[in-house]
Amino acid sequence: MTKTTVHLVRHGEVYNPKKILYGRMPGYHLSSRGNSMAVATSKFFRGRDVVYLAASPLERAQETARPIAEVTGCEVDTLDDVIESLNTFEGLRTKGLRSALWNPRRWPLLVNPLEPSWGEPYEQIAERMLGSIERARTAAAGHEAILVSHQLPIVMVQRTVLGQRLPHAPWNRKCALASVTSLLFEDNQVTDIFYSSPAQEI
């Protein structure tokens, strides 16, 4: 029986003074606090048997992966399938009194939160993430792998593994900035899931 662990790391805090939903937009980098978070999370992997490291192509994920690469000695592979989910509201402010969602012409995109109607279907996010996890598990068979991704894609994996419905209340997500969700495999089956937040004090 081959035991393998695949760790899903959420990127650190992003510099976003205008508070917009940046999604897949380029040019959004870690803040100074986010860089500190990435360093703190990298220490979680010190001395571990990590042989494979990959990250979303977005800047914040690549920047989070860099200190992890230094600690593990792995090169960073770039995987498009662990990228942030698509969202129609990219580039808009979506929270607070200045939210663009108060505009009635955007309401038709909010009609079905179970899909969701404003972006990439939950099932599609889960499918592409699980495909990348399987590739990482194969690449690191008998050892450990790390994928640096984003909150919603990681939550879709968590909920799939735990047998929960994919539609959910966003405020119930357990996926803090720079957190680690670890999937333990025996051969190709997930046998356990653990959550850690190495950067929670930052």
Side-chain angles (χ1 to χ4, degrees), residues 56-125:
S56 155
L58 298 175
E59 291 98 328
R60 57 193 183 270
Q62 292 285 322
E63 292 163 0
T64 300
R66 283 174 195 158
I68 299 174
E70 293 176 6
V71 166
T72 61
C74 296
E75 294 185 3
V76 182
D77 191 10
T78 298
L79 291 182
D80 290 339
D81 281 349
V82 300
I83 198 169
E84 180 64 281
S85 55
L86 285 170
N87 194 307
T88 303
F89 301 128
E90 282 182 10
L92 301 176
R93 186 165 183 159
T94 58
K95 295 180 180 179
L97 294 176
R98 295 172 58 193
S99 170
L101 302 187
W102 291 112
N103 188 330
R105 67 190 177 89
R106 304 194 195 280
W107 293 353
L109 293 171
L110 300 172
V111 296
N112 185 7
L114 300 180
E115 185 178 0
S117 51
W118 57 83
E120 185 178 8
Y122 291 137
E123 290 80 4
Q124 183 173 308
I125 301 170

